[in-house]
Amino acid sequence: MADSDYYSDLYKQYKKEARGYQDDIDELTKIRNKLTGDFYDEQNNVNKKLSNLEEDLQKSVRYDFAFSSIAAKSVSFREKSVSSDYRLQCVAAALEDEIAALNNKKDAAERKRIISTALYIKN
């Protein structure tokens, strides 16, 4: 039968393992949030400026229809969201999958840590 030091070492090992997974989860979550959150905010700011520019151009040259049609085409230069870009959408999905996998590994390490604690107390 294993002595209490063995179970104490197991406890520490699983605790360190779970902490490592949590650190990885935190880093990937930051990356995901930058991709979906910060990028989205920047995209909205660019699109708002383009809309304001189009509106100002339309007001400044109201009776020149050729120029008005060119100004109206500025819509095509608007930034698209992360979900409309296939590659960025794949990256976001891969990040979500990796975060979920790390959460499962962290949960397993925490369960093993609890079991090692119970065995340590038992001995």
Side-chain angles (χ1 to χ4, degrees):
M1 180 173 245
D3 62 352
S4 60
D5 288 338
Y6 171 76
Y7 294 113
S8 176
D9 290 342
L10 275 180
Y11 173 85
K12 291 174 186 174
Q13 173 189 341
Y14 291 130
K15 183 177 180 178
K16 182 179 178 182
E17 187 177 326
R19 190 179 323 119
Y21 289 135
Q22 185 60 52
D23 291 344
D24 292 343
I25 290 167
D26 292 344
E27 285 299 314
L28 290 176
T29 301
K30 285 179 193 176
I31 293 168
R32 182 199 59 203
N33 291 345
K34 283 184 184 260
L35 180 65
T36 57
D38 295 349
F39 184 73
Y40 180 77
D41 292 341
E42 289 178 25
Q43 172 232 343
N44 278 341
N45 290 338
V46 168
N47 288 343
K48 184 178 178 183
K49 288 179 182 180
L50 282 171
S51 293
N52 291 342
L53 176 63
E54 178 189 3
E55 188 178 311
D56 291 344
L57 288 172
Q58 294 287 358
K59 287 178 186 176
S60 66
V61 190
R62 291 184 192 163
Y63 302 108
D64 185 347
F65 295 109
F67 188 80
S68 294
S69 68
I70 292 170
K73 290 180 185 177
S74 68
V75 173
S76 65
F77 296 107
R78 289 192 177 158
E79 293 289 323
K80 294 172 180 55
S81 68
V82 169
S83 61
S84 66
D85 185 320
Y86 175 74
R87 289 186 176 126
L88 286 177
Q89 189 177 14
C90 289
V91 168
L95 283 169
E96 288 294 333
D97 291 345
E98 186 64 23
I99 290 169
L102 287 170
N103 269 321
N104 289 337
K105 289 178 180 181
K106 183 185 104 177
D107 291 345
E110 288 176 347
R111 281 192 300 276
K112 289 177 184 177
R113 182 175 59 127
I114 291 169
I115 292 169
S116 66
T117 303
L119 293 172
Y120 175 75
I121 293 171
K122 184 178 176 183
N123 287 325

